[in-house]
Every structure is written in structure tokens, then in C-alpha cells.
């Protein structure tokens, strides 16, 4: 496959407040996030001529967002999708520039994921007609992501001896990270006992194994390495990207290959092959935490530990700030807020710039204390390479490797 | 017949013979006459060799639990009233896996690998839903 390593950069990131009740339209939220990302890059409306966004019938399309910002587009697409779309659209943005269709793109996701369209068939989504794959699932009461993923989690426990306590460490680590993040919805640190003692939602998922439905919008700016040199921030180079890679028979993956295998099994060779590095070279990960288990399964599948040893890996301290390879240093979907993956790429861009927005007084200038006590610092010292592991469902995922 | 509160499957051209089999309390699996592959849920062509030449094989309705999950909280219509309920992937003796519910056993007693057999719930004049119960 073709390799565009280091030819494209992420130059701007931005987001709105994370809330559970924005009282604003997805249009207003998107406009705020896109403006913030363009300003972060030190660009203006006339510098951005491409736009990509993703949604699932729950958002405002680019044909309203771009005009609100006075942006004239040479290219745009509105894409259907949820988790794992972030990395895939970064790759498509590179492709659009490579094809000569435009020069600089804004990628956004805007959703009232708590107050309007909730995951799991509640809220406005409950009124939508049942179709497609749902036809085979809904008569049996399968509606939510948790129900869809849980058999994979249970089978992993059965085959490899993975325990609820081991996987609870993902929530513990992300809560530790969120305690350093002024933006996070949940800033309180939790214990393993808090997680395994919380009530069942969909076994083996406890309440605290599940992420937080959130209202928010987020944005990333992609351009060429050449143009990135003139932007305001230290550019972050894209070393490799794999977009929405799937297992065989995507709709009934559990019947065609081990149910414990996730899409990273197929994506890892693409993304590591482009980047020319291996898992041992990565300093920070952003493994998508729709649930505690999803973080564990992907870290394992991408080779950060051996298959089956994910439980030991995530409970070893390695994924916490101060550990060898912290994961989701902003607190992720479990604690910061749910963004369908965008926030995890935004966080890793800031990590590589060295300007994570923690409680250090001079964080914006890149001055950090590296004191990981609550309410202090969450910058990883000398982070050079970050990797995002995007998750849609067990058989579908994306990946992205970036360097400073 | 009491009114059935859960969602009904929308029967398509591809799945009609399967649901007609359920109505007769027979679980049918698609088999490709060209390459012998078996598949479930029903599709329009053989996903292995693209042949249109599919036939319907009656399953003995016996299998084992491959994986499952117990739902304690849901907004799914009709299912809210019977929490907790069990979703499972059952591996049939005929070699395909089926998304279904496990019924007739305490959730705490369910195990991966346990033998189960099909049972049909007649929910309307046209539809019977296949679920599985400990054998």
C-alpha cells in the first residue's frame, strides 16, 4: 500500500465545553469547535477549503457549518459513522489534499449525545425505524453497544482468565488522568472496588465500566507538512493511518473467527507498516474507551502485550500517568466525556506539542511540573510518538500514529 | 393470543423462508448447493462463492453456548419488563452461529459451552421467535 508518512500534519485542535445539557444546537456547537481549531492553528477562514464531518443522523452537516464561519469550500463530505471515524477521516483528508481537491481541512464531530440523541436506543433515536442489521438483533432485545460488545468481553474472560478487577484498572487510570483535566466531566478518582461494586448494566459491564454520554463538538485541522510550517503551533506529523478496517463478515463477525479478536488484528500491520515503528516505540496511547474492555482489547490486539494478556497489561500501572505508556491522558470517554473518538486524538496532539491543558500555570507555554497528584499535571515528559486506536465495535476499528 | 410487546422482525425476501420455517417450529440454515458453505442469518447469495443457488437445511436445533451477556438495564421495548434477560450466540451442530435469547434457566447457572436446544415462541399469526433453552 501507498505510504504518505510525515507528508501531512495535524495543525489545529479545538472543542466546546463537555456537558450533559448544552442547551445549544449541534450547529452552534460545531461552529464553536471549528472556530477554536482554526484559531489554534493560527489560520483564518480563507485558509480552510475542505471539511469532513461524521454523524449518525444526529448532527448538523457541513453545508450549514461552513457558511456560518464564512468558509468557502473546495471539497466537503458528510460521513455516516461513530467511533473509529476520527482516524479514518484524517486519512481521507490526506487523500483529498493528495488528489488536489483542496489544501487544508477541518474535521468535526458535533453531538448532543446526552440531551438529544443517546446511544443505546433511548432519546430521539428510540423513535427511528428498525432497519438493516437491526432486523436480526432487535427482536431479541439487542439495542445497545454494551449488549453488542459484551459477549466478546465475556468470552475473553472465559478464554484468557481476564477478570473484572483487572479491567477496572482502565477506569481507575482514566479517572486519575481526568483529575488533572479542567475540562473533564468526572474529575473524582475511583478505585477498583468502586468499579466492580457498581451495579450491573450488561454483564460483564458494571456501570463504571461504561462511558459517559455527553453533549459536545470537537474539531481537528489537517494540512500538508509544507503549510504546517507556517502555522502557529508545533506541527504534529502523521506517520501512519488505518481507517475503518474490518474483520471478515462485519455484521456477524462472532460467527467467522474468534469473537475475542478485534479489528486491530488486521489494522496493525497497515498502520505500523506505514509508520515504520512498532508498539515499543510508542510513548502515549489513545485506546478508545467506550467501555473499559475496549481499551484493553485493542492494546492487546495491536501488540502492546501478548494476546490474552491484556488484563495483566492494563492492571500493571503501565497505562497510568507516570507509567511507561499512559493511555487516554485526558480521562477518555470514561471520565472526560464522550466524543466518538475525537477528544483522544486532540489530547495526543496536545501531548506531542507539550502543551496539554492541565492545571500547571504555564501549561500553554509548555512548562509542566510532571507532578501527577490530583489537580496538578498530566503532561507526559518528552512524548515523541503517540498512537490512537479507534473503536467502532469488535470487528471495526481505525488507527493513527503521530510524532512531534 | 395476548398482545406481544417486543419488536417483531421485518421479514424480507431473503429471510422469508427462514421465518416460515420458524412458524412450523423448524430452524432452517442456508446451504450453498455450489460450494457447500452454510450461513445464517439468511443472505441473498452465498457469501463464500457468490452462487445464487441456495437451499434450506433443517437444523436439529441443538447446539452449545459460544458467548452470552445478561442485560440488567435496557430501554428496549417489551424487554424492560423481563429484566434480567439473556442474549447469546449459540453454535448449532450444523456449524453456524445464531444470535438468540437463552430462556428457561437462571442467568447465574448459564455457562459458555453448555448444551442448549431451540424452542419457539408463537408471538403472532405470522411470526414465531426462535430462542434457546438448556438441553
Amino acid at each position: 500500500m501507498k505510504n504518505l508518512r510525515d507528508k501531512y500534519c495535524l495543525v489545529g485542535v479545538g472543542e466546546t465545553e463537555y456537558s450533559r445539557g448544552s442547551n445549544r444546537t449541534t450547529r452552534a456547537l460545531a461552529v464553536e469547535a471549528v472556530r477554536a481549531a482554526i484559531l489554534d492553528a493560527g489560520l483564518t477562514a480563507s485558509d480552510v477549503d475542505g471539511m469532513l464531518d461524521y454523524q449518525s443522523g444526529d448532527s448538523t452537516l457541513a453545508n450549514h457549518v461552513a457558511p456560518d464561519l464564512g468558509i468557502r469550500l473546495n471539497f466537503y463530505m458528510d460521513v455516516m459513522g461513530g467511533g473509529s471515524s476520527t482516524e479514518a477521516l484524517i486519512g481521507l483528508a490526506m487523500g483529498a489534499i493528495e488528489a488536489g481537491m483542496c489544501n487544508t481541512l477541518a474535521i468535526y464531530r458535533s453531538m448532543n449525545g446526552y440531551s438529544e440523541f443517546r446511544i443505546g436506543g433511548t432519546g430521539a433515536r428510540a423513535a427511528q425505524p428498525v432497519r438493516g442489521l437491526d432486523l436480526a438483533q432487535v427482536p431479541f432485545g439487542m439495542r445497545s453497544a454494551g449488549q453488542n460488545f459484551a459477549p466478546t468481553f465475556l468470552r475473553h474472560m472465559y478464554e484468557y482468565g481476564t477478570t473484572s478487577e483487572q479491567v477496572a484498572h482502565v477506569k481507575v487510570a482514566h479517572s486519575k488522568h481526568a483529575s488533572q483535566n479542567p475540562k473533564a466531566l468526572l474529575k473524582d478518582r475511583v478505585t477498583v472496588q468502586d468499579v466492580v461494586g457498581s451495579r450491573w448494566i450488561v454483564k460483564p459491564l458494571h456501570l463504571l465500566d461504561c462511558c459517559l454520554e455527553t453533549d459536545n463538538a470537537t474539531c481537528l485541522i489537517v494540512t500538508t507538512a509544507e503549510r504546517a510550517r507556517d502555522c502557529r503551533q508545533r506541527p504534529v506529523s502523521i506517520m501512519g493511518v488505518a481507517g475503518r478496517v474490518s474483520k471478515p463478515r462485519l455484521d456477524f463477525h462472532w460467527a467467522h473467527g474468534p469473537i475475542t479478536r478485534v479489528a486491530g488484528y488486521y489494522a496493525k500491520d497497515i498502520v505500523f507498516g506505514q509508520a515504520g515503528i512498532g508498539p515499543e516505540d510508542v510513548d502515549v496511547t489513545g485506546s478508545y474507551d467506550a467501555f473499559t474492555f475496549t481499551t484493553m482489547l485493542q492494546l492487546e490486539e495491536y501488540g502492546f502485550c501478548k494476546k490474552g494478556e491484556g488484563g495483566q497489561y492494563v492492571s500493571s500501572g503501565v497505562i497510568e500517568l507516570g507509567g511507561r505508556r499512559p493511555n487516554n491522558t485526558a480521562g477518555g470517554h470514561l471520565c472526560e466525556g464522550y466524543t466518538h473518538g475525537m477528544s483522544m486524538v486532540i489530547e495526543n496532539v496536545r501531548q506531542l506539542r507539550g502543551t496539554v491543558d492541565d492545571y500547571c500555570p504555564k501549561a500553554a507555554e509548555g512548562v509542566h511540573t510532571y507532578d501527577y497528584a490530583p489537580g496538578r499535571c498530566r503532561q507526559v515528559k518528552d512524548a515523541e510518538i503517540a498512537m490512537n486506536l479507534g473503536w467502532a465495535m469488535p470487528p471495526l476499528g481505525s488507527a493513527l500514529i503521530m510524532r512531534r | 393470543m395476548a398482545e406481544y410487546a417486543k419488536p417483531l422482525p421485518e421479514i424480507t425476501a431473503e429471510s422469508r423462508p427462514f421465518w416460515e420455517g420458524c412458524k412450523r417450529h423448524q430452524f432452517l440454515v442456508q446451504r450453498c448447493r455450489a460450494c457447500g458453505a452454510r450461513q445464517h442469518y439468511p443472505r441473498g447469495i452465498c457469501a463464500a462463492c457468490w452462487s445464487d443457488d441456495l437451499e434450506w437445511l433443517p437444523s436439529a436445533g441443538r447446539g452449545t453456548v459460544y458467548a452470552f451477556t445478561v442485560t440488567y438495564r435496557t430501554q428496549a421495548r417489551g424487554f424492560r419488563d423481563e429484566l434480567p434477560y439473556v442474549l447469546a450466540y449459540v453454535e448449532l451442530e450444523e456449524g453456524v452461529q445464531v444470535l438468540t435469547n437463552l430462556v428457561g434457566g437462571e442467568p447465574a447457572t448459564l455457562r459458555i459451552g453448555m448444551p442448549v436446544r431451540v424452542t419457539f415462541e408463537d408471538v403472532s399469526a405470522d411470526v414465531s421467535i426462535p430462542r434457546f433453552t438448556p438441553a
Side-chain angles (χ1 to χ4, degrees):
Chain A
M1 282 189 233
K2 194 163 175 169
N3 191 336
L4 297 173
R5 178 182 158 151
D6 295 338
K7 289 186 175 170
Y8 293 89
C9 291
L10 284 157
V11 295
V13 295
E15 70 272 269
T16 64
E17 176 192 21
Y18 298 132
S19 77
R20 310 198 86 180
S22 70
N23 294 311
R24 301 169 69 193
T25 60
T26 53
R27 179 174 179 169
L29 291 171
V31 165
E32 181 184 330
V34 175
R35 181 179 64 182
I38 295 172
L39 290 173
D40 178 65
L43 297 174
T44 65
S46 60
D47 296 317
V48 175
D49 62 347
M51 197 167 273
L52 288 163
D53 62 274
Y54 61 100
Q55 45 99 20
S56 53
D58 60 357
S59 192
T60 302
L61 307 182
N63 62 354
H64 291 298
V65 174
D68 281 359
L69 289 156
I71 294 172
R72 191 196 66 77
L73 294 171
N74 288 319
F75 167 77
Y76 82 94
M77 293 290 288
D78 308 297
V79 176
M80 293 297 287
S84 81
S85 300
T86 314
E87 297 83 3
L89 289 199
I90 290 169
L92 290 187
M94 293 161 60
I97 301 170
E98 192 77 9
M101 293 196 289
C102 61
N103 291 320
T104 300
L105 292 96
I107 301 169
Y108 73 85
R109 172 75 174 117
S110 181
M111 58 178 166
N112 282 317
Y114 181 80
S115 65
E116 203 175 352
F117 282 87
R118 299 185 65 174
I119 306 281
T122 58
R125 207 178 297 284
Q128 293 178 333
V130 174
R131 55 178 184 250
L133 180 59
D134 288 349
L135 293 176
Q137 299 182 341
V138 170
F140 302 100
M142 183 179 272
R143 285 308 297 264
S144 71
Q147 290 175 312
N148 190 313
F149 308 166
T152 290
F153 306 155
L154 192 80
R155 184 84 196 187
H156 196 278
M157 299 172 90
Y158 171 81
E159 287 185 10
Y160 301 112
T162 311
T163 66
S164 293
E165 286 77 10
Q166 287 177 327
V167 180
H169 279 276
V170 174
K171 173 73 174 183
V172 171
H174 294 184
S175 76
K176 177 178 176 178
H177 303 166
S179 76
Q180 327 283 18
N181 180 0
K183 305 187 300 293
L185 274 177
L186 298 184
K187 297 189 183 69
D188 290 336
R189 294 185 172 195
V190 302
T191 66
V192 168
Q193 265 315 309
D194 291 334
V195 179
V196 299
S198 62
R199 62 185 164 85
W200 289 119
I201 301 297
V202 176
K203 206 172 181 176
L205 296 170
H206 307 81
L207 177 65
L208 296 190
D209 286 306
C210 306
C211 64
L212 294 171
E213 296 163 299
T214 308
D215 296 349
N216 69 88
T218 44
C219 182
L220 298 159
I221 308 295
V222 177
T223 193
T224 60
E226 194 172 55
R227 287 189 189 86
R229 283 195 283 273
D230 299 327
C231 291
R232 187 162 73 91
Q233 306 281 357
R234 169 194 279 199
V236 167
S237 293
I238 298 164
M239 300 176 73
V241 63
R244 304 215 104 188
V245 177
S246 75
K247 286 176 69 180
R249 315 289 173 91
L250 181 58
D251 52 355
F252 294 99
H253 76 98
W254 34 270
H256 300 274
I259 193 173
T260 52
R261 178 178 290 171
V262 300
Y265 179 85
Y266 298 94
K268 65 176 185 284
D269 291 341
I270 297 174
V271 70
F272 282 124
Q274 291 171 5
I277 64 159
E280 65 281 359
D281 301 309
V282 175
D283 299 312
V284 187
T285 54
S287 182
Y288 196 102
D289 54 348
F291 303 95
T292 48
F293 278 87
T294 62
T295 294
M296 180 274 291
L297 281 167
Q298 294 198 110
L299 288 169
E300 173 185 287
E301 203 71 88
Y302 280 90
F304 291 97
C305 61
K306 286 190 189 139
K307 185 69 191 171
E309 294 181 0
Q312 291 153 259
Y313 181 81
V314 297
S315 58
S316 67
V318 69
I319 67 165
E320 292 189 17
L321 276 170
R324 163 70 187 92
R325 193 177 297 110
N327 185 70
N328 286 350
T329 54
H333 289 170
L334 291 169
C335 299
E336 184 186 38
Y338 194 76
T339 65
H340 267 151
M342 292 286 285
S343 53
M344 297 169 192
V345 175
I346 290 174
E347 174 71 0
N348 282 351
V349 167
R350 291 190 176 125
Q351 281 288 357
L352 296 177
R353 290 175 178 173
T355 58
V356 153
D357 51 343
D358 53 21
Y359 292 97
C360 295
K362 293 186 176 178
E365 299 156 45
V367 181
H368 292 273
T369 63
Y370 308 105
D371 171 3
Y372 300 134
R376 303 285 176 83
C377 181
R378 73 169 200 279
Q379 178 68 48
V380 175
K381 202 168 198 320
D382 301 325
E384 289 186 12
I385 295 179
M387 181 166 185
N388 281 87
L389 314 176
W391 168 282
M393 41 188 178
L396 183 60
S398 299
L400 173 72
I401 300 175
M402 306 178 282
R403 68 168 181 82
R404 72 180 186 190
Chain B
M1 199 176 287
E3 197 175 334
Y4 184 70
K6 300 182 181 109
L8 291 172
E10 183 184 279
I11 296 171
T12 62
E14 292 78 19
S15 65
R16 182 171 305 282
F18 170 75
W19 290 107
E20 286 173 353
C22 289
K23 195 63 213 159
R24 302 190 302 270
H25 290 198
Q26 195 171 45
F27 195 103
L28 299 178
V29 173
Q30 272 186 325
R31 180 169 56 192
C32 175
R33 282 202 184 92
C35 77
R38 295 165 185 192
Q39 61 188 19
H40 178 82
Y41 198 75
R43 298 180 193 264
I45 64 169
C46 172
C49 77
W50 296 359
S51 168
D52 298 308
D53 193 8
L54 299 169
E55 63 179 353
W56 295 92
L57 170 75
S59 160
R62 290 189 298 266
T64 53
V65 175
Y66 179 63
F68 67 97
T69 176
V70 188
T71 296
Y72 287 83
R73 196 171 164 82
T74 185
Q75 299 298 321
R77 179 161 55 87
F79 287 89
R80 261 177 304 220
D81 310 323
E82 29 185 85
L83 294 169
Y85 64 94
V86 182
L87 284 158
Y89 299 138
V90 166
E91 193 156 28
L92 294 184
E93 286 175 357
E94 289 77 16
V96 298
Q97 284 191 18
V98 179
L99 167 62
T100 186
N101 298 120
L102 295 184
V103 295
E106 278 302 305
T109 66
L110 301 174
R111 296 285 179 270
I112 286 174
M114 75 187 292
V116 290
R117 61 178 171 79
V118 72
T119 176
F120 293 90
E121 185 187 356
D122 300 322
V123 302
S124 77
D126 302 318
V127 177
S128 297
I129 305 282
R131 308 185 198 279
F132 284 73
T133 189

